[in-house]
Amino acid sequence: MTEEKNILEVQDLSVHFGHGEELVKAVDEVSFTVGRGETIALVGESGSGKSISALALTRLAPRAAVYAGGRVLFNGSDMLLRSERELRDIRGSQISYIFQEPMVSFNPVFTIGWQIEEAIRLHRKDVNVAGEIERLLDLVQLPERSAKAYPHQMSGGQLQRCMIAMALACSPELLVADEPTTALDVTVQREILNLLADLSQKVNLSVLMITHNFGIVADLASRVYVMQTGKIVEEGGTKQVLYEPRHDYTKQLMAAVPRLHPAKN
Amino acid sequence: MVPTVVGVILLTFVLFNIVPNDLAAIALGKNVTLEMLEDFDAQRGLNKPLFFGSKAKTRAYTDHRFSEGAGRWRNWSNAVYSAESQALVIQPGSEINPLAFDVDGDSEFEWNITFRGDGSLAGQELSSENWKKITVRFQGSEWAGLETKESSLEIRNLRLRRLQSSWFDSQLTFYLRQLARGDLGDSEYFKQPVAKLLADGVLPSLSLTVPIFFIGVVVSISLSLVCAFFRNQFIDRFLVVIAVALMSINYLIYIVAGQYLLAYKQGWFPVWGYESAKYLILPVLIGVVSGLGSNIRFYRTIMLDEMYKDYVRTAFAKGVSKPRVLFVHVLKNAMIPIITNVVIAIPFLYTGSLLLENFFGIPGLGYLGINAILSSDIDVVRALVLIGALLFVVANLITDICYAAADPRVKLK
Amino acid sequence: MALEKGQSLWSDAWRRLKKNRLAMLCLGLVVLFTLLAVYGEMVYLYHHAKDITPSYQMTNLDAAYEAPSIRHWMGTDGLGRDVMARLVQGVRIAYKVGIITSLIAIPIGVLLGCLAGFFGGKVDDFIVWLYSTFASMPGLLFILAIAMVVPDNGLLGVYLGIGLTTWVGLCRLVRGEVLKHKEQTYVQAAKALGIGSGRIMFRHILPNIMHVVIVTFTLRFPAAVGTEVIMSYLGIGVQGEPSWGLMIDSARMRLWQGMWWEMTFVTLALFLLVLAFNLLGDALRDALDPRLND
């Protein structure tokens, strides 16, 4: 059995909200691919549709969203055609997510350990749960006692590590990271990004990174897609897009990044 | 908590001691003698100054200036008003007791008299050619009247005060002392101590309110979970409209309709009385249904607020099923504000059933309350208001404790 | 800047409200009831001025207990009086209660809420203590107690009772809103410009909290009406005038004897009035709420 070269192929995906006069095409015929073991970046400002695109992969978009067209091929099979039950099996076990604000993305009334355990038990049987939790926490360089802590007792950086640990609990093939470092302090951002880079290599993880920060793109992603108002306006290898942006929008985005030295005219 | 308790006590004091003109008149009605009113006052410390003071008024005698038209003095024999001297003239050889009834023998009293002429007051000689103002003190058990011998006595002004043994003996201190020893007063209507009446009424009230409370909470939370599960779909919107409609039906109507339709017409339940558990079913049913509307809306809002939170998205992204997200993730968080609402409602249970008990003849605190209001049984009303408020304060405290127990983010102060 | 913000909030809200058909229906009902109340008041004043007994008060035992007919659309009550005319008077009394209790509760609630939120510190502590104390009082019983001790046998006790308990919720809301606005930049800017506290409060912050007041009024109005109905049913407050509570009281026993019309129509009128205000209040709150969810 041949493995697909691309773990994820999105073809002409469209996600709409509202209808008639108030129709909003949040995602407008968007296509991108993620190869095995690759880290891809989806870049754009807020409102560009990048987050919805990410959620749409497993039909996690808000209730009001209408999947108006296109295909989402994960390992060759169209996710948009799967039943809710099948998608539930895939979420967390084959495709995992980490989100922007770890402080509110965890349930405040359960311990970290409880929430990681839930992630494990949902998709895996006959497992030494306690041992697994320890292993996962170790993977993200957190002490074992973190399992007993509540989310509010941990810092943003620590929580994001927990989020990563939880996301990797069932060894997913694809990790979708929606602005994972945006809400964190700059120094912590670096740590988390390094962690992600290490892990993706270690376990051969494919990563779809949603971000508006070109620094991250430069560091981690091999290819980048630029989104504006629901459409992809530029794509290509990271070096190429960053140093020789073709589309006006991309140029604007790059120009908007503050630099420490005065701009040369 | 303590400041609120103080505030509650003060507020009841304001309401029952300061606001009313004449509490005794409200309580006892029209056909009563001054002496009965005074007894009522004395029993409740209402014949003392409000906050502090050395002198107090008494109903036995109303201050007179003797220049206006009417007054009890009109009934005094041998006393005529003279316009030229603008004074009351008491004929020689008279004996007048201005007091309407015998005053308290243990207290000391003080007359203030502006007079001219000869006579005596409370046994003390009065003699002056010119207008003179003096003070005469006497013990309550002594003769306190006016006497004239050969000459007449003119009086412009006559005032009576009771002397307090202590400057701090006031209505406020009386009330506080009453509360300190657990004395809630006496019921004029039942001629029993209020505390006893309250104790008797607690059980019947609870037999009504506890079932209403528990059944109500269970049903409301269940229905609100249904709303949250089918968020914004037909059944959710339908339940919301039903809830508002239920809320808009007046409590009276629930009772009247319930009694008429289910008890009288259908004959399923007894209409009135407190004989057995069967008599409680209809009022409990009415109590639950009437509260459903606002409860469902409240719990639904809480559930929906939680459902929009980020951790719900994370749970779905992990592959958690919708029922589990609702019943495990959301519910536990929703419990925190729900507990607040639920515990706070507890003290209101006993006044909430004011009407239910009254209509169905359940001899509980609500029945007692309505009866007291309608018959102006002051002490009972005050006690119920006070106890109700204090229970609320206690419930608030318990809520804080439960909140801290339920929410791992909160520590007790 | 505050004025501009206020205007667009209202026109926005009106736009949103217009789209809600149920809300428009309720608005229509409210307008209808208001007109009835005004008409009722005119009828009352006319008879009062001329010192004649109005038709709805005149007993006519021959016509007692008539079922709904052409002459009496809603039938007659036990004393032969036209139910519909009395119903309209009931609307008038309901409106009197709703408006006057709001006139008591709103100024107190808004003033204290503003003072507490704006000045903070000891002022805030005191006002919070005050409304916490009032909030602890057992609802209906407290209102009845106030009506009992107030030296007057008419509606004054009802007005004060309801008014003095309604201000608490409004005060809390206003205080919350003022606290929110106090931190906003436009207030900081005004302060930096040296504008006095009073001016800031009344010209700048107040317009921005009016939506809370409007919604509260719309939602407390039916509650006040409902409470008055219970009170007049128990015989407290209105004497002689046909309040709905009194009508329900007299209609109750007749219901058991088979005369259903008085109870039915009064109940229906009360229900529709309360429902219309409740739904309208909810819709207003949603329309005025800048947060649009889902």
Side-chain angles (χ1 to χ4, degrees), chain A residues 58-60 84-93 95 97 107 110 114-123 166, chain B residues 229 307 311-330:
Chain A
T58 50
R59 285 228 297 265
L60 275 177
E84 178 65 20
R85 205 190 164 135
E86 291 170 322
L87 284 173
R88 276 214 302 272
D89 286 334
I90 292 175
R91 294 177 195 140
S93 69
I95 302 181
Y97 287 80
N107 192 322
F110 293 117
W114 187 97
Q115 300 187 53
I116 298 181
E117 178 175 344
E118 186 185 37
I120 297 173
R121 286 198 192 279
L122 274 170
H123 306 285
M166 195 164 74
Chain B
F229 194 85
M307 289 210 80
Y311 68 80
V312 170
R313 178 189 54 180
T314 308
F316 279 122
K318 267 161 55 173
V320 180
S321 68
K322 193 165 179 195
R324 188 180 159 86
V325 167
L326 192 58
F327 287 98
V328 175
H329 286 257
V330 169

Side-chain angles (χ1 to χ4, degrees), chain B residues 20 32 36 182 198 218 229 247 255 282 372 374:
Chain B
V32 280
M36 287 164 73
L198 289 188
V218 168
F229 194 85
M247 267 171 66
I255 298 181
L282 184 56
L374 294 177

